């Protein structure tokens, strides 16, 4: 009687973890599996092909037959690195090196899923509210995964991930950081804590969605600081209020003192702000940062006012106080003691206040992946990796991530940054080392590929990839075409001939 032979496990060599995988099982990353003794990639190779967009030519004098309505060359397939696999242990050529003729030029695209330890995400959160001081630590599940960066105009910025959090701390810190990065890059929601103790703020971040700050969804991104808002809407208030204060954590503006008010002949009102005066009508530090009016910690705007000057102010003075997004507002008139008394907002001030909110854009979270393509990744493209770097810098090689346009940082190496919303869904994976797995493609002319020492024997036609399992997606919303001649320096030389 023959005993049943138990299939042996196979060893995956797609990353340094080198999992032993039993038949029918997947590795620790859930990306590779043992199928009847063969190592298979579970996610399909993703190809950008076709478009459902119906576009209208703007050159109205042209003949319709001159234009096929396809500005992104949507019928031409582009092989992305999503689902392609990796080059580990680095001596191997990239998984797919495919050629195709594009407008009479022989092009080649080399695709691989890079294993990134030196990587992270930059998060832009459109909000006026204070979510943390610069350098405050960002936490997930009690582990530090990043920090608050410098604020930008109307937005707070976070830097998450990085090699120190992935591999420089404890194992738990690395696992939690990697998981948070993976979910953010794959457009999932992640709740983070910022700061600690009595100034801990919770924020739910999801690419393309409004942030949720301390449980409250954010609605609007301010149109300007308090001073800018005074300048933009001064005429709207003229004649309807004697003074206007736009409350802002950065610069609080006062109409009667501001240059805009001076030029519109708004008389002094004797108002006194408690903050530090910067220039006429512009005040810093009127309150502490917070989630109240204009990103301050106040819920009562009168807290930022001192007593009115009795030699200048008058009974019945009309005062509007409003936040930088127009979401908070209050109307007052001075009584006989020159004390502001709240009253219903006059109809004539309702529309100007709504105009502030109307000019504010919807608040959203932007997540940009940033990573450096190391020498091992570049070795999958050429046996002489530094030549690839030079080729990228010389605009002979175009870099894309999942077919999306990427920004390549100046200086040494190939450090890329890309908006995850421009990439196909499910573009990112991980390995348990831990590190993030992200797609990256290099496109160039075949002749240039040969010059930089490419793996010429590994080139296959794009038609051959159609025989393998794949998924097809439409071009991204920005219509970026990695094969466009505009991406390459040689096309500019052609146009000058």
């Amino acid at each position: 009687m023959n005993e049943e032979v138990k299939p042996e496990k196979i060893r995956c060599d797609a990353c340094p973890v080198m999992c032993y995988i039993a038949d029918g099982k997947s590795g620790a990353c859930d990306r590779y599996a043992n199928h009847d003794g063969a190592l298979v990639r579970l996610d399909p190779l993703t190809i950008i092909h076709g478009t459902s967009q119906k576009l209208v030519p703007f050159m109205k004098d042209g003949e319709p037959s001159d234009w096929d309505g396809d500005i992104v060359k949507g019928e031409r397939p582009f092989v992305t690195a999503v689902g392609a696999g990796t080059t580990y242990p680095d001596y191997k050529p990239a998984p797919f090196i495919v050629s195709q003729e594009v407008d009479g030029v022989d092009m080649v695209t080399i695709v691989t899923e890079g294993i990134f330890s030196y990587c992270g995400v930059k998060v832009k959160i459109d909000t006026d509210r204070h979510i943390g001081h610069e350098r405050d630590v960002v936490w997930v599940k009690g582990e530090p995964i990043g920090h608050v960066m410098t604020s930008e105009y109307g937005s707070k910025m976070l830097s998450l991930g990085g090699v120190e959090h992935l591999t420089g701390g404890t194992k738990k810190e690395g696992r939690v950081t990697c998981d948070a990065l993976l979910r953010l890059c794959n457009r999932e929601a992640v709740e983070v804590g910022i700061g600690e103790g009595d100034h801990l703020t919770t924020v739910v971040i999801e690419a393309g969605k409004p942030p949720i700050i301390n449980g409250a969804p954010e609605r609007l991104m301010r149109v300007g600081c308090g001073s800018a808002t005074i300048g933009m809407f001064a005429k709207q208030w003229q004649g309807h209020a004697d003074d206007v204060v736009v409350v802002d954590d950065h610069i609080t503006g006062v109409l009667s003192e501001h240059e805009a008010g001076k030029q519109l002949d708004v008389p002094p009102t004797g108002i006194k702000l408690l903050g530090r005066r910067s220039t006429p009508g512009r005040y810093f530090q009127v309150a502490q940062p917070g989630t109240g009016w204009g990103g301050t910690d106040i819920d009562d705007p009168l807290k930022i006012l001192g007593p009115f000057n009795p030699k200048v102010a008058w009974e019945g003075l009309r005062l509007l106080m409003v936040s930088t997004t127009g979401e908070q507002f209050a109307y007052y008139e001075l009584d006989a003691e020159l004390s502001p008394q709240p009253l219903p907002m006059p109809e004539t001030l309702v529309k100007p206040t709504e105009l502030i909110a109307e000019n504010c854009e919807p608040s959203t979270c932007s997540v940009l992946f940033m990573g450096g393509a190391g020498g091992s990744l570049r070795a999958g493209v050429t046996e002489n990796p530094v030549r690839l770097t030079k080729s990228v810098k010389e605009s002979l090689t175009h870099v894309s991530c999942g077919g999306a346009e990427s920004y390549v940082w100046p200086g040494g190496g190939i450090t890329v940054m890309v908006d995850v919303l421009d990439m196909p869904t499910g573009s990112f994976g991980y390995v348990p080392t831990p590190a993030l797995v992200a797609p990256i493609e290099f496109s160039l002319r075949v002749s240039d590929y040969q010059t930089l020492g490419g793996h010429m024997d590994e080139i296959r036609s794009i038609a051959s990839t159609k025989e393998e399992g794949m998924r097809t997606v439409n071009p991204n919303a920005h219509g970026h075409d990695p094969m466009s001649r505009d991406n390459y320096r040689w096309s500019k030389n052609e146009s000058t001939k």
Side-chain angles (χ1 to χ4, degrees), residues 38 136 157 199 227 318 341 366 403 405 473:
D136 269 357
M157 305 291 292
H199 66 279
S227 172
R318 301 165 299 172
Q341 299 300 321
S366 302
E405 184 172 17
V473 298

Side-chain angles (χ1 to χ4, degrees), residues 324-370:
T324 45
T325 59
E327 294 172 289
Q328 295 104 348
F329 52 84
Y331 175 76
Y332 306 91
E333 291 186 7
L334 298 191
D335 62 15
E337 303 298 324
L338 302 184
S339 177
Q341 299 300 321
L343 290 173
M345 176 86 86
E347 192 64 30
T348 53
L349 286 175
V350 171
K351 189 172 181 181
T353 303
E354 291 176 345
L355 192 60
I356 297 176
E358 184 180 330
N359 278 274
C360 294
E361 297 173 65
S363 178
T364 191
C365 295
S366 302
V367 177
L368 273 69
F369 167 77
M370 183 171 169

Side-chain angles (χ1 to χ4, degrees), residues 237 241 243-247 293 299-302 305 318-323 326-333 340-346 349 353:
W237 297 316
D243 214 340
V244 177
V245 176
V246 180
V247 182
W293 279 51
D299 294 320
D300 178 5
L302 295 181
L305 297 186
R318 301 165 299 172
L319 173 65
L320 171 66
M321 301 191 76
V322 62
S323 67
E327 294 172 289
Q328 295 104 348
F329 52 84
Y331 175 76
Y332 306 91
E333 291 186 7
Q341 299 300 321
L343 290 173
M345 176 86 86
L349 286 175
T353 303

